[in-house]
Amino acid sequence: MRILAFETSAKAASVALLEGDMLLGELYLNCGLTHSRTLLESAQRLLEITELTAKDIDAVACAAGPGSFTGVRIGVAAAKGFAWGRDIPCCGVSTLEAMAWQASEFSGIVCCAMDARRSQVYHARFLAEDGTLTRLCPDCAVSLDEVRLALENCEKPKIMVGDGAQLCYNTFGTEISGCMLAPEHRRMQRASGVALAARRLLSEGADCSGAALAPNYLRLSQAERERAERLRTSKESVNG
């Protein structure tokens, strides 16, 4: 099975093509251009380089969140459009699980962290053993102190991945026994990890339809928070 995967959850954008266990190719761009300008062009270029066409793709996947609200929407829309045109499976995977696959050969705890601002990170932990991952906690938005506490209570070796890994490691990583920071090329979110996570979903028979795919932001956007605050203030004013 050939899986075309998109990763647009953070500053960098990437596209990968996985066939079975083989990564046929991956394009990674961290040049400051918007994902709407680079994503589909990168996908087309990747297909050209591998001498394949859209008709040769069996499934499409994307990082469905958490992450940048705009970035996630771009990836989800691209995946839905590609899948609808070809009537093929469309997999939305956890951004955090996808990045954990970048360190799946590690033996121990993979600590995934994305900078969520407001003194929080999007976080999940996985146990990596023999090239497989077992989820240890759900995706969540938590404080750095909560991540620290979870890792302090774990005796296994620990590796940090994600664009929030450096922040976590600089804050408390050197104080925790057996904790290390993944190297740059294995640390950041990449479409190859999305493809690997999607492959597992497909093998497990998950509902991978475009209709079922929806972004998972974990928390409200700034606009939604501000609107909720205005409504709350308005109600208090009326009731007061």
Side-chain angles (χ1 to χ4, degrees):
M1 171 175 282
R2 295 192 185 102
I3 302 173
L4 180 67
F6 304 135
E7 219 307 334
T8 57
S9 66
K11 182 179 178 181
S14 57
V15 180
L17 186 55
L18 184 73
E19 182 176 18
D21 294 329
M22 181 182 297
L23 180 63
L24 297 182
E26 183 174 28
L27 292 179
Y28 179 92
L29 294 174
N30 191 16
C31 56
L33 296 176
T34 61
H35 300 336
S36 58
R37 290 182 58 186
T38 62
L39 184 65
L40 293 181
E41 184 176 345
S42 295
Q44 181 179 358
R45 182 60 179 146
L46 181 58
L47 289 174
E48 290 174 353
I49 293 171
T50 54
E51 298 186 340
L52 297 171
T53 70
K55 295 181 180 180
D56 298 311
I57 302 304
D58 301 304
V60 63
C62 69
S68 159
F69 286 72
T70 300
V72 168
R73 284 195 296 268
I74 289 172
V76 167
K80 280 176 171 282
F82 193 98
W84 179 80
R86 293 278 298 113
D87 191 24
I88 57 177
C90 182
C91 303
V93 307
S94 160
T95 306
L96 297 167
E97 179 179 346
M99 68 175 67
W101 280 102
Q102 299 295 120
S104 60
E105 77 283 359
F106 181 73
S107 181
I109 304 301
V110 182
C111 175
C112 307
M114 295 181 66
D115 189 355
R117 313 290 182 181
R118 300 167 62 204
S119 300
Q120 288 187 325
V121 291
Y122 297 124
H123 170 67
R125 296 185 308 282
F126 298 82
L127 174 63
E129 290 181 306
D130 301 323
T132 64
L133 295 176
T134 301
R135 181 180 282 275
L136 299 178
C137 68
D139 293 356
C140 52
V142 297
S143 68
L144 294 179
D145 283 341
E146 289 175 273
V147 180
R148 179 206 299 263
L149 181 61
L151 296 182
E152 282 179 341
N153 293 330
C154 176
E155 296 181 357
K156 292 182 178 292
K158 297 160 279 285
I159 189 169
M160 294 183 174
V161 299
D163 63 15
Q166 186 77 62
L167 173 63
C168 290
Y169 189 79
N170 289 348
T171 303
F172 58 77
T174 57
E175 303 169 8
I176 297 178
S177 175
C179 187
M180 64 179 293
L181 184 66
E184 178 76 18
H185 69 285
R186 292 296 184 94
R187 189 186 316 158
M188 298 305 180
Q189 299 90 307
R190 302 185 76 102
S192 52
V194 173
L196 291 170
R199 183 183 64 176
R200 180 158 78 171
L201 280 179
L202 290 165
S203 69
E204 293 173 348
D207 180 9
C208 292
S209 66
L213 173 56
N216 178 24
Y217 300 126
L218 286 186
R219 69 184 190 194
L220 297 176
S221 68
Q222 181 177 346
E224 290 171 318
R225 293 196 304 271
E226 292 175 350
R227 180 175 181 273
E229 179 62 23
R230 288 196 299 270
L231 289 174
R232 185 186 65 80
T233 303
S234 177
K235 288 181 181 179
E236 290 178 350
S237 177
V238 170
N239 296 332

